[in-house]
Amino acid sequence: MADPTHCQLALDPNVREAARRRLASVRGHVEGIVRMLEREDVYCVDVLRQLKAVDGALSKVGDAVLRSHLHHHVTSARERGDADEIVDELMEILKYR
Amino acid sequence: MADPTHCQLALDPNVREAARRRLASVRGHVEGIVRMLEREDVYCVDVLRQLKAVDGALSKVGDAVLRSHLHHHVTSARERGDADEIVDELMEILKYR
Amino acid sequence: MADPTHCQLALDPNVREAARRRLASVRGHVEGIVRMLEREDVYCVDVLRQLKAVDGALSKVGDAVLRSHLHHHVTSARERGDADEIVDELMEILKYR
Amino acid sequence: MADPTHCQLALDPNVREAARRRLASVRGHVEGIVRMLEREDVYCVDVLRQLKAVDGALSKVGDAVLRSHLHHHVTSARERGDADEIVDELMEILKYR
Protein backbone atom coordinates (compact mmCIF):
# COMPACT_ATOMS: atom_id res chain seq x y z
CA MET A 1 0.00 0.00 0.00
CA ALA A 2 1.93 3.03 -1.22
CA ASP A 3 -1.20 5.20 -1.28
CA PRO A 4 -0.64 7.96 1.33
CA THR A 5 -4.38 8.48 1.98
CA HIS A 6 -4.51 4.91 3.29
CA CYS A 7 -1.57 5.19 5.67
CA GLN A 8 -3.66 5.78 8.74
CA LEU A 9 -6.02 2.87 8.05
CA ALA A 10 -4.57 0.29 10.41
CA LEU A 11 -6.49 -2.82 11.42
CA ASP A 12 -8.25 -2.42 14.78
CA PRO A 13 -5.88 -3.77 17.51
CA ASN A 14 -8.44 -6.13 19.10
CA VAL A 15 -9.47 -7.62 15.77
CA ARG A 16 -5.81 -7.89 14.79
CA GLU A 17 -4.89 -9.78 17.95
CA ALA A 18 -7.88 -12.13 17.62
CA ALA A 19 -7.02 -12.74 13.95
CA ARG A 20 -3.37 -13.41 14.86
CA ARG A 21 -4.33 -16.01 17.44
CA ARG A 22 -6.83 -17.70 15.17
CA LEU A 23 -4.36 -17.75 12.32
CA ALA A 24 -1.66 -19.24 14.56
CA SER A 25 -4.12 -22.04 15.21
CA VAL A 26 -4.77 -22.39 11.45
CA ARG A 27 -1.00 -22.71 10.96
CA GLY A 28 -1.00 -25.60 13.46
CA HIS A 29 -3.89 -27.19 11.61
CA VAL A 30 -2.04 -26.92 8.28
CA GLU A 31 1.08 -28.37 9.94
CA GLY A 32 -1.09 -31.32 11.04
CA ILE A 33 -2.24 -31.92 7.45
CA VAL A 34 1.39 -31.78 6.24
CA ARG A 35 2.22 -34.57 8.71
CA MET A 36 -0.94 -36.46 7.73
CA LEU A 37 0.32 -36.40 4.13
CA GLU A 38 3.53 -38.17 5.21
CA ARG A 39 1.50 -41.31 5.98
CA GLU A 40 1.36 -43.79 3.09
CA ASP A 41 -2.16 -44.92 3.94
CA VAL A 42 -3.79 -41.50 4.23
CA TYR A 43 -7.28 -41.46 2.70
CA CYS A 44 -8.07 -38.73 0.14
CA VAL A 45 -11.37 -37.79 1.72
CA ASP A 46 -9.78 -37.32 5.14
CA VAL A 47 -7.36 -34.83 3.55
CA LEU A 48 -10.23 -33.05 1.78
CA ARG A 49 -12.15 -32.83 5.07
CA GLN A 50 -9.16 -31.25 6.82
CA LEU A 51 -8.62 -28.79 3.96
CA LYS A 52 -12.29 -27.82 4.19
CA ALA A 53 -11.97 -27.25 7.94
CA VAL A 54 -8.92 -24.99 7.36
CA ASP A 55 -10.86 -23.14 4.67
CA GLY A 56 -13.71 -22.55 7.14
CA ALA A 57 -11.28 -21.26 9.78
CA LEU A 58 -9.64 -18.90 7.26
CA SER A 59 -13.08 -17.60 6.24
CA LYS A 60 -13.84 -16.74 9.86
CA VAL A 61 -10.61 -14.76 10.15
CA GLY A 62 -11.38 -13.05 6.84
CA ASP A 63 -14.94 -12.22 7.92
CA ALA A 64 -13.71 -10.59 11.13
CA VAL A 65 -11.10 -8.51 9.27
CA LEU A 66 -13.63 -7.58 6.58
CA ARG A 67 -16.25 -6.54 9.15
CA SER A 68 -13.67 -4.38 10.93
CA HIS A 69 -12.57 -2.84 7.64
CA LEU A 70 -16.16 -2.04 6.67
CA HIS A 71 -16.89 -0.60 10.10
CA HIS A 72 -13.73 1.47 10.63
CA HIS A 73 -12.69 2.43 7.12
CA VAL A 74 -15.27 1.83 4.40
CA THR A 75 -18.23 3.56 6.07
CA SER A 76 -16.10 6.68 6.59
CA ALA A 77 -14.47 6.73 3.14
CA ARG A 78 -16.67 9.53 1.80
CA GLU A 79 -15.71 11.80 4.72
CA ARG A 80 -12.05 10.91 4.25
CA GLY A 81 -12.18 11.34 0.47
CA ASP A 82 -10.82 7.97 -0.68
CA ALA A 83 -14.12 6.24 -1.56
CA ASP A 84 -13.08 5.27 -5.08
CA GLU A 85 -9.91 3.43 -4.04
CA ILE A 86 -11.67 1.84 -1.06
CA VAL A 87 -14.43 0.44 -3.28
CA ASP A 88 -12.04 -0.74 -6.01
CA GLU A 89 -9.79 -2.67 -3.67
CA LEU A 90 -12.76 -4.13 -1.81
CA MET A 91 -14.39 -5.40 -5.01
CA GLU A 92 -11.07 -6.98 -6.01
CA ILE A 93 -11.08 -8.98 -2.79
CA LEU A 94 -14.76 -9.92 -2.87
CA LYS A 95 -14.57 -11.35 -6.39
CA TYR A 96 -14.95 -15.15 -6.30
CA ARG A 97 -14.98 -14.99 -2.55
CA MET B 1 -12.19 -43.93 8.46
CA ALA B 2 -13.20 -47.11 10.29
CA ASP B 3 -14.98 -48.51 7.23
CA PRO B 4 -13.05 -51.64 6.18
CA THR B 5 -14.06 -51.40 2.51
CA HIS B 6 -12.20 -48.10 2.36
CA CYS B 7 -8.97 -49.35 3.94
CA GLN B 8 -7.16 -49.88 0.68
CA LEU B 9 -8.08 -46.42 -0.70
CA ALA B 10 -4.84 -44.60 -0.02
CA LEU B 11 -4.02 -41.30 -1.72
CA ASP B 12 -1.76 -41.78 -4.77
CA PRO B 13 1.90 -41.37 -3.61
CA ASN B 14 2.85 -38.76 -6.24
CA VAL B 15 -0.21 -36.64 -5.56
CA ARG B 16 0.38 -37.04 -1.83
CA GLU B 17 3.98 -35.84 -2.06
CA ALA B 18 3.04 -32.87 -4.28
CA ALA B 19 0.22 -31.96 -1.88
CA ARG B 20 2.58 -32.25 1.09
CA ARG B 21 5.09 -29.87 -0.48
CA ARG B 22 2.44 -27.38 -1.53
CA LEU B 23 0.86 -27.46 1.89
CA ALA B 24 4.24 -26.94 3.59
CA SER B 25 4.47 -23.77 1.49
CA VAL B 26 0.93 -22.77 2.54
CA ARG B 27 2.01 -23.22 6.17
CA GLY B 28 4.87 -20.78 5.53
CA HIS B 29 2.45 -18.35 3.94
CA VAL B 30 0.12 -18.54 6.97
CA GLU B 31 3.14 -18.05 9.25
CA GLY B 32 3.92 -14.90 7.26
CA ILE B 33 0.40 -13.56 7.82
CA VAL B 34 0.67 -14.31 11.56
CA ARG B 35 3.82 -12.13 11.67
CA MET B 36 2.13 -9.51 9.51
CA LEU B 37 -0.62 -9.33 12.15
CA GLU B 38 1.96 -8.47 14.81
CA ARG B 39 2.55 -5.11 13.11
CA GLU B 40 0.44 -2.27 14.54
CA ASP B 41 0.09 -0.53 11.21
CA VAL B 42 -1.02 -3.51 9.13
CA TYR B 43 -3.75 -2.57 6.65
CA CYS B 44 -6.96 -4.70 6.63
CA VAL B 45 -7.01 -5.09 2.88
CA ASP B 46 -3.44 -6.37 2.80
CA VAL B 47 -4.46 -9.08 5.29
CA LEU B 48 -7.54 -9.93 3.21
CA ARG B 49 -5.38 -10.20 0.08
CA GLN B 50 -3.00 -12.61 1.80
CA LEU B 51 -5.90 -14.70 3.14
CA LYS B 52 -7.31 -14.87 -0.37
CA ALA B 53 -3.95 -16.02 -1.74
CA VAL B 54 -3.78 -18.77 0.91
CA ASP B 55 -7.33 -19.77 0.04
CA GLY B 56 -6.36 -20.07 -3.63
CA ALA B 57 -3.33 -22.21 -2.75
CA LEU B 58 -5.46 -24.50 -0.54
CA SER B 59 -7.98 -24.86 -3.38
CA LYS B 60 -5.21 -26.04 -5.71
CA VAL B 61 -4.14 -28.69 -3.20
CA GLY B 62 -7.78 -29.72 -2.74
CA ASP B 63 -8.36 -29.89 -6.51
CA ALA B 64 -5.35 -32.20 -6.98
CA VAL B 65 -6.47 -34.50 -4.15
CA LEU B 66 -10.06 -34.47 -5.43
CA ARG B 67 -9.00 -35.29 -8.99
CA SER B 68 -6.88 -38.17 -7.73
CA HIS B 69 -9.74 -39.44 -5.57
CA LEU B 70 -12.17 -39.29 -8.50
CA HIS B 71 -9.68 -41.02 -10.79
CA HIS B 72 -8.45 -43.76 -8.47
CA HIS B 73 -11.39 -44.42 -6.20
CA VAL B 74 -14.70 -42.90 -7.28
CA THR B 75 -14.72 -44.17 -10.88
CA SER B 76 -14.12 -47.74 -9.62
CA ALA B 77 -16.60 -47.63 -6.72
CA ARG B 78 -19.26 -49.67 -8.52
CA GLU B 79 -16.76 -52.49 -9.19
CA ARG B 80 -15.60 -52.36 -5.59
CA GLY B 81 -19.12 -52.21 -4.20
CA ASP B 82 -18.90 -49.07 -2.02
CA ALA B 83 -20.58 -46.57 -4.37
CA ASP B 84 -23.13 -45.35 -1.82
CA GLU B 85 -20.56 -44.41 0.83
CA ILE B 86 -18.21 -42.92 -1.77
CA VAL B 87 -20.97 -40.65 -3.12
CA ASP B 88 -22.24 -39.65 0.33
CA GLU B 89 -18.84 -38.62 1.64
CA LEU B 90 -18.00 -36.81 -1.61
CA MET B 91 -21.23 -34.78 -1.55
CA GLU B 92 -20.52 -33.86 2.06
CA ILE B 93 -17.17 -32.36 0.99
CA LEU B 94 -18.45 -30.63 -2.14
CA LYS B 95 -21.24 -28.82 -0.30
CA TYR B 96 -20.50 -25.06 -0.16
CA ARG B 97 -17.18 -25.74 -1.80
CA MET C 1 -36.75 -2.66 4.60
CA ALA C 2 -38.90 -0.94 7.22
CA ASP C 3 -35.93 1.02 8.59
CA PRO C 4 -36.68 4.72 7.91
CA THR C 5 -32.99 5.75 7.77
CA HIS C 6 -32.62 3.48 4.75
CA CYS C 7 -35.60 4.82 2.84
CA GLN C 8 -33.62 7.13 0.63
CA LEU C 9 -31.05 4.46 -0.33
CA ALA C 10 -32.36 3.53 -3.75
CA LEU C 11 -30.25 1.59 -6.24
CA ASP C 12 -28.59 3.88 -8.81
CA PRO C 13 -30.91 4.09 -11.89
CA ASN C 14 -28.23 3.15 -14.45
CA VAL C 15 -27.04 0.16 -12.45
CA ARG C 16 -30.66 -0.84 -11.86
CA GLU C 17 -31.51 -0.75 -15.56
CA ALA C 18 -28.36 -2.70 -16.50
CA ALA C 19 -29.11 -5.27 -13.78
CA ARG C 20 -32.70 -5.57 -14.97
CA ARG C 21 -31.63 -6.27 -18.54
CA ARG C 22 -28.98 -8.77 -17.50
CA LEU C 23 -31.40 -10.53 -15.20
CA ALA C 24 -34.04 -10.72 -17.94
CA SER C 25 -31.40 -12.54 -19.96
CA VAL C 26 -30.67 -14.85 -16.99
CA ARG C 27 -34.39 -15.63 -16.82
CA GLY C 28 -34.25 -16.66 -20.49
CA HIS C 29 -31.22 -18.82 -19.75
CA VAL C 30 -33.03 -20.54 -16.86
CA GLU C 31 -36.07 -21.04 -19.12
CA GLY C 32 -33.73 -22.76 -21.60
CA ILE C 33 -32.50 -25.16 -18.88
CA VAL C 34 -36.10 -25.93 -17.86
CA ARG C 35 -36.79 -26.98 -21.48
CA MET C 36 -33.48 -28.87 -21.62
CA LEU C 37 -34.69 -30.87 -18.60
CA GLU C 38 -37.79 -31.96 -20.54
CA ARG C 39 -35.59 -34.04 -22.86
CA GLU C 40 -35.23 -37.67 -21.77
CA ASP C 41 -31.67 -37.96 -23.01
CA VAL C 42 -30.25 -34.83 -21.36
CA TYR C 43 -26.76 -35.42 -20.00
CA CYS C 44 -26.11 -34.47 -16.34
CA VAL C 45 -22.90 -32.61 -17.09
CA ASP C 46 -24.58 -30.44 -19.73
CA VAL C 47 -27.12 -29.39 -17.10
CA LEU C 48 -24.33 -28.69 -14.58
CA ARG C 49 -22.50 -26.57 -17.17
CA GLN C 50 -25.62 -24.50 -17.83
CA LEU C 51 -26.27 -24.04 -14.11
CA LYS C 52 -22.68 -22.87 -13.70
CA ALA C 53 -23.10 -20.37 -16.54
CA VAL C 54 -26.28 -19.00 -14.88
CA ASP C 55 -24.42 -18.79 -11.60
CA GLY C 56 -21.66 -16.76 -13.26
CA ALA C 57 -24.22 -14.40 -14.84
CA LEU C 58 -25.97 -13.90 -11.48
CA SER C 59 -22.62 -13.15 -9.84
CA LYS C 60 -21.97 -10.41 -12.39
CA VAL C 61 -25.33 -8.81 -11.61
CA GLY C 62 -24.62 -9.14 -7.89
CA ASP C 63 -21.14 -7.62 -8.28
CA ALA C 64 -22.55 -4.57 -10.09
CA VAL C 65 -25.24 -4.02 -7.46
CA LEU C 66 -22.74 -4.56 -4.64
CA ARG C 67 -20.25 -2.11 -6.17
CA SER C 68 -22.98 0.49 -6.53
CA HIS C 69 -24.14 -0.09 -2.95
CA LEU C 70 -20.58 0.28 -1.63
CA HIS C 71 -20.03 3.41 -3.70
CA HIS C 72 -23.32 5.21 -3.08
CA HIS C 73 -24.37 4.01 0.35
CA VAL C 74 -21.70 2.20 2.36
CA THR C 75 -18.91 4.75 1.98
CA SER C 76 -21.24 7.51 3.21
CA ALA C 77 -22.80 5.55 6.09
CA ARG C 78 -20.76 7.27 8.80
CA GLU C 79 -21.93 10.72 7.59
CA ARG C 80 -25.51 9.48 7.40
CA GLY C 81 -25.34 7.79 10.80
CA ASP C 82 -26.45 4.24 9.89
CA ALA C 83 -23.03 2.55 9.74
CA ASP C 84 -23.92 -0.26 12.14
CA GLU C 85 -26.98 -1.43 10.19
CA ILE C 86 -25.19 -1.01 6.86
CA VAL C 87 -22.30 -3.21 8.02
CA ASP C 88 -24.54 -5.84 9.61
CA GLU C 89 -26.72 -6.32 6.55
CA LEU C 90 -23.68 -6.32 4.25
CA MET C 91 -21.90 -9.03 6.26
CA GLU C 92 -25.09 -11.11 6.18
CA ILE C 93 -25.02 -11.02 2.38
CA LEU C 94 -21.29 -11.60 2.00
CA LYS C 95 -21.32 -14.73 4.18
CA TYR C 96 -20.66 -17.83 2.03
CA ARG C 97 -20.77 -15.65 -1.01
CA MET D 1 -21.91 -33.93 -26.14
CA ALA D 2 -20.64 -35.51 -29.34
CA ASP D 3 -18.72 -38.22 -27.48
CA PRO D 4 -20.39 -41.54 -28.35
CA THR D 5 -19.30 -43.30 -25.13
CA HIS D 6 -21.41 -40.77 -23.22
CA CYS D 7 -24.56 -41.19 -25.29
CA GLN D 8 -26.26 -43.54 -22.89
CA LEU D 9 -25.56 -41.35 -19.84
CA ALA D 10 -28.93 -39.65 -19.47
CA LEU D 11 -29.94 -37.90 -16.27
CA ASP D 12 -32.10 -40.10 -14.03
CA PRO D 13 -35.80 -39.36 -14.84
CA ASN D 14 -36.86 -38.67 -11.25
CA VAL D 15 -33.96 -36.33 -10.60
CA ARG D 16 -34.61 -34.67 -13.94
CA GLU D 17 -38.28 -34.04 -13.18
CA ALA D 18 -37.48 -32.70 -9.68
CA ALA D 19 -34.77 -30.45 -11.14
CA ARG D 20 -37.16 -29.21 -13.83
CA ARG D 21 -39.79 -28.27 -11.27
CA ARG D 22 -37.30 -26.58 -8.98
CA LEU D 23 -35.79 -24.67 -11.86
CA ALA D 24 -39.22 -23.53 -13.07
CA SER D 25 -39.62 -22.05 -9.60
CA VAL D 26 -36.18 -20.40 -9.85
CA ARG D 27 -37.29 -18.86 -13.15
CA GLY D 28 -40.29 -17.37 -11.36
CA HIS D 29 -38.01 -16.05 -8.64
CA VAL D 30 -35.72 -14.41 -11.24
CA GLU D 31 -38.81 -12.94 -12.94
CA GLY D 32 -39.74 -11.45 -9.57
CA ILE D 33 -36.34 -9.79 -9.25
CA VAL D 34 -36.63 -8.39 -12.79
CA ARG D 35 -39.91 -6.72 -11.76
CA MET D 36 -38.37 -5.60 -8.48
CA LEU D 37 -35.68 -3.82 -10.53
CA GLU D 38 -38.37 -1.82 -12.34
CA ARG D 39 -39.15 0.02 -9.10
CA GLU D 40 -37.26 3.29 -8.72
CA ASP D 41 -36.95 2.96 -4.96
CA VAL D 42 -35.61 -0.59 -4.82
CA TYR D 43 -32.91 -0.99 -2.17
CA CYS D 44 -29.58 -2.55 -3.25
CA VAL D 45 -29.43 -4.94 -0.31
CA ASP D 46 -32.92 -6.28 -1.03
CA VAL D 47 -31.76 -7.12 -4.57
CA LEU D 48 -28.59 -8.76 -3.22
CA ARG D 49 -30.66 -10.84 -0.79
CA GLN D 50 -32.91 -12.07 -3.60
CA LEU D 51 -29.91 -12.89 -5.81
CA LYS D 52 -28.43 -14.86 -2.93
CA ALA D 53 -31.67 -16.80 -2.48
CA VAL D 54 -31.71 -17.65 -6.20
CA ASP D 55 -28.07 -18.72 -5.93
CA GLY D 56 -28.96 -21.05 -3.06
CA ALA D 57 -31.86 -22.54 -5.02
CA LEU D 58 -29.62 -23.11 -8.07
CA SER D 59 -27.03 -24.80 -5.84
CA LYS D 60 -29.67 -27.23 -4.59
CA VAL D 61 -30.61 -28.16 -8.15
CA GLY D 62 -26.93 -28.53 -9.01
CA ASP D 63 -26.27 -30.70 -5.95
CA ALA D 64 -29.11 -33.07 -6.87
CA VAL D 65 -27.90 -33.39 -10.48
CA LEU D 66 -24.29 -33.82 -9.32
CA ARG D 67 -25.23 -36.51 -6.80
CA SER D 68 -27.19 -38.37 -9.47
CA HIS D 69 -24.28 -38.08 -11.91
CA LEU D 70 -21.81 -39.40 -9.31
CA HIS D 71 -24.15 -42.25 -8.39
CA HIS D 72 -25.25 -43.36 -11.85
CA HIS D 73 -22.30 -42.47 -14.06
CA VAL D 74 -19.08 -41.59 -12.26
CA THR D 75 -18.91 -44.59 -9.93
CA SER D 76 -19.31 -46.93 -12.93
CA ALA D 77 -16.90 -45.12 -15.26
CA ARG D 78 -14.08 -47.63 -14.80
CA GLU D 79 -16.36 -50.52 -15.82
CA ARG D 80 -17.63 -48.51 -18.80
CA GLY D 81 -14.14 -47.41 -19.82
CA ASP D 82 -14.60 -43.62 -19.95
CA ALA D 83 -13.06 -42.69 -16.57
CA ASP D 84 -10.63 -40.11 -18.01
CA GLU D 85 -13.30 -38.04 -19.77
CA ILE D 86 -15.69 -38.36 -16.82
CA VAL D 87 -13.06 -37.03 -14.40
CA ASP D 88 -11.92 -34.23 -16.72
CA GLU D 89 -15.40 -32.86 -17.32
CA LEU D 90 -16.29 -33.18 -13.63
CA MET D 91 -13.21 -31.25 -12.50
CA GLU D 92 -14.05 -28.54 -15.04
CA ILE D 93 -17.46 -28.09 -13.40
CA LEU D 94 -16.24 -28.28 -9.81
CA LYS D 95 -13.62 -25.56 -10.29
CA TYR D 96 -14.63 -22.41 -8.35
CA ARG D 97 -17.84 -24.10 -7.47
Side-chain angles (χ1 to χ4, degrees), chain B residues 67 71 75 78 88 97, chain D residues 67 71 75 78 88 97:
Chain B
R67 174 180 278 276
H71 191 264
T75 56
R78 194 67 62 186
D88 282 349
R97 191 179 125 87
Chain D
R67 174 180 279 277
H71 191 263
T75 55
R78 195 66 62 186
D88 281 349
R97 189 179 127 88

Side-chain angles (χ1 to χ4, degrees), chain C residues 36-84:
Chain C
M36 188 182 184
L37 286 163
E38 287 163 5
R39 295 200 339 249
E40 281 182 18
D41 65 339
V42 68
Y43 179 46
C44 316
V45 171
D46 290 334
V47 178
L48 292 172
R49 281 184 188 126
Q50 295 305 317
L51 291 174
K52 192 174 176 169
V54 167
D55 194 52
L58 281 177
S59 291
K60 279 190 186 162
V61 177
D63 278 357
V65 174
L66 175 60
R67 174 180 280 276
S68 178
H69 182 55
L70 288 170
H71 191 263
H72 289 105
H73 306 143
V74 182
T75 56
S76 51
R78 193 68 61 186
E79 289 178 334
R80 212 170 40 246
D82 59 3
D84 285 350

Side-chain angles (χ1 to χ4, degrees), chain A residues 63-64 66-67 70-72 74-79 83-84 86-88 90-92 94-97, chain C residues 63-64 66-67 70-72 74-79 83-84 86-88 90-92 94-97:
Chain A
D63 279 357
L66 175 60
R67 174 180 279 277
L70 288 169
H71 191 262
H72 289 105
V74 182
T75 55
S76 51
R78 193 68 60 187
E79 289 177 334
D84 286 349
I86 283 277
V87 171
D88 282 348
L90 200 50
M91 286 306 296
E92 196 56 43
L94 295 174
K95 235 188 277 173
Y96 299 128
R97 190 179 126 87
Chain C
D63 278 357
L66 175 60
R67 174 180 280 276
L70 288 170
H71 191 263
H72 289 105
V74 182
T75 56
S76 51
R78 193 68 61 186
E79 289 178 334
D84 285 350
I86 283 276
V87 171
D88 282 348
L90 200 49
M91 286 307 297
E92 197 55 44
L94 295 175
K95 235 188 280 174
Y96 299 128
R97 189 178 128 88

Side-chain angles (χ1 to χ4, degrees), chain D residues 29-48:
Chain D
H29 199 157
V30 173
E31 171 67 33
I33 314 178
V34 171
R35 281 198 305 267
M36 189 182 183
L37 286 164
E38 287 162 6
R39 296 202 338 252
E40 279 182 20
D41 65 339
V42 67
Y43 179 46
C44 315
V45 171
D46 290 334
V47 178
L48 292 171

Side-chain angles (χ1 to χ4, degrees), chain D residues 35-82:
Chain D
R35 281 198 305 267
M36 189 182 183
L37 286 164
E38 287 162 6
R39 296 202 338 252
E40 279 182 20
D41 65 339
V42 67
Y43 179 46
C44 315
V45 171
D46 290 334
V47 178
L48 292 171
R49 280 183 189 128
Q50 294 304 318
L51 291 174
K52 192 174 176 168
V54 167
D55 194 52
L58 281 177
S59 291
K60 278 190 185 163
V61 177
D63 279 356
V65 174
L66 175 59
R67 174 180 279 277
S68 178
H69 182 54
L70 288 170
H71 191 263
H72 289 105
H73 306 144
V74 182
T75 55
S76 51
R78 195 66 62 186
E79 288 177 335
R80 212 170 42 246
D82 59 3

Side-chain angles (χ1 to χ4, degrees), chain C residues 1-10 69 80 82 85-86 89, chain D residues 41 43 45:
Chain C
M1 280 302 312
D3 191 339
T5 65
H6 280 60
C7 279
Q8 77 263 35
L9 301 183
H69 182 55
R80 212 170 40 246
D82 59 3
E85 299 100 297
I86 283 276
E89 63 185 21
Chain D
D41 65 339
Y43 179 46
V45 171

